[in-house]
């Protein structure tokens, strides 16, 4: 019985040593688990911040793309509108050239001062003369009696008068239409 008791006490000591070893392993694993949880929490917070920032950037980029798409559509519309106006002006110029070639003596150059006041304002809105930068000797006299220089400003086409009131914008205001049927 003593021997059994001694063997049991040795066995109990071994079990206690084993329990202490397992308890130590458990404590170390528990501490490692806590550290890993803290690291994971920090990484998760960083990841959520990145997701929020990327979501905000994506929303901003989507907004920018929408804005730029609208601006691109407007620019394309303006381009097509300007191309139509260019074609219209080309046909007007070709018609004016044909009229001039048909009977050039029928078209008498006029001075702006001899035109009616409303037409004078329209003509001067089309031609902006820069007299401050050049002298009269450098300029040339046009058919309307204005000294022009190489620096003048042509206003955009949307400032032009409506087609009904002025079928040939520059030529109808500048040239007389007398004797048109004698071609």
């Amino acid at each position: 019985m003593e021997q059994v008791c001694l063997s049991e006490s040795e066995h109990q000591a071994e079990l206690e040593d084993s329990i202490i070893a397992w308890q130590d392993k458990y404590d170390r694993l528990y501490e490692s688990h806590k550290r890993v949880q803290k690291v994971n929490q920090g990484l998760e917070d960083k990841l959520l911040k990145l997701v929020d920032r990327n979501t905000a950037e994506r929303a901003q980029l989507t907004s920018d793309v929408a804005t730029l798409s609208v601006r691109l559509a407007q620019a394309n519309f303006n381009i097509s509108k300007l191309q139509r106006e260019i074609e219209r002006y080309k046909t007007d110029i070709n018609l004016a050239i044909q009229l001039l070639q048909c009977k050039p003596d029928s078209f008498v150059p006029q001075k702006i001062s001899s035109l009616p006041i409303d037409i004078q304002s329209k003509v001067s809105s089309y031609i902006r003369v820069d007299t401050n930068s050049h002298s009269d000797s450098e300029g040339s006299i046009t058919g309307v009696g204005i000294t022009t220089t190489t620096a003048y400003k042509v206003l955009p086409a949307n400032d032009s008068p409506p087609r009904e009131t002025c079928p040939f914008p520059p030529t109808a205001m500048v040239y007389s239409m007398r004797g048109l049927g004698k071609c």
Side-chain angles (χ1 to χ4, degrees), residues 8-60:
E8 284 294 320
S9 77
E10 283 179 14
H11 184 59
Q12 186 178 0
E14 286 176 8
L15 283 175
E16 285 177 1
D17 288 340
S18 175
I19 287 174
I20 291 171
W22 282 106
Q23 184 69 36
D24 188 42
K25 286 180 181 179
Y26 172 78
D27 289 340
R28 283 184 281 148
L29 282 173
Y30 185 70
E31 290 299 319
S32 294
H33 177 69
K34 280 187 196 177
R35 278 184 267 138
V36 167
Q37 273 187 327
K38 286 181 184 178
V39 168
N40 282 345
Q41 186 63 39
L43 290 174
E44 185 178 345
D45 291 342
K46 287 180 182 178
L47 186 61
L48 289 174
K49 286 178 186 176
L50 283 172
V51 166
D52 288 342
R53 189 178 70 208
N54 287 341
T55 302
E57 285 179 6
R58 183 173 185 207
Q60 178 64 36

Side-chain angles (χ1 to χ4, degrees), residues 19-177:
I19 287 174
I20 291 171
W22 282 106
Q23 184 69 36
D24 188 42
K25 286 180 181 179
Y26 172 78
D27 289 340
R28 283 184 281 148
L29 282 173
Y30 185 70
E31 290 299 319
S32 294
H33 177 69
K34 280 187 196 177
R35 278 184 267 138
V36 167
Q37 273 187 327
K38 286 181 184 178
V39 168
N40 282 345
Q41 186 63 39
L43 290 174
E44 185 178 345
D45 291 342
K46 287 180 182 178
L47 186 61
L48 289 174
K49 286 178 186 176
L50 283 172
V51 166
D52 288 342
R53 189 178 70 208
N54 287 341
T55 302
E57 285 179 6
R58 183 173 185 207
Q60 178 64 36
L61 289 174
T62 302
S63 172
D64 290 347
V65 165
T67 302
L68 291 174
S69 296
V70 167
R71 288 176 59 192
L72 179 63
Q74 288 174 345
N76 284 337
F77 175 75
N78 288 340
I79 287 171
S80 64
K81 180 179 163 185
L82 290 173
Q83 285 175 339
R84 285 191 303 267
E85 287 182 19
I86 287 172
E87 289 301 317
R88 187 184 71 192
Y89 287 136
K90 279 182 182 178
T91 57
D92 289 349
I93 288 173
N94 285 336
L95 181 61
I97 289 172
Q98 288 174 359
L99 288 173
L100 285 172
Q101 288 174 347
C102 180
K103 188 79 171 175
D105 295 337
S106 299
F107 302 98
V108 178
Q110 297 180 356
K111 294 187 177 189
I112 286 185
S113 60
S114 67
L115 295 172
I117 294 175
D118 59 332
I119 294 179
Q120 286 180 17
S121 64
K122 289 179 183 178
V123 169
S124 50
S125 72
Y126 282 111
I127 301 173
R128 301 279 184 207
V129 179
D130 183 10
T131 57
N132 296 335
S133 63
H134 298 289
S135 68
D136 288 340
S137 62
E138 293 176 15
S140 63
I141 298 179
T142 63
V144 291
I146 298 176
T147 303
T148 60
T149 61
T150 57
Y152 61 89
K153 179 179 178 183
V154 176
L155 297 176
N158 56 2
D159 290 84
S160 63
R163 294 281 293 180
E164 300 84 34
T165 61
C166 185
F168 306 110
T171 54
M173 286 184 225
V174 176
Y175 296 107
S176 169
M177 301 302 256

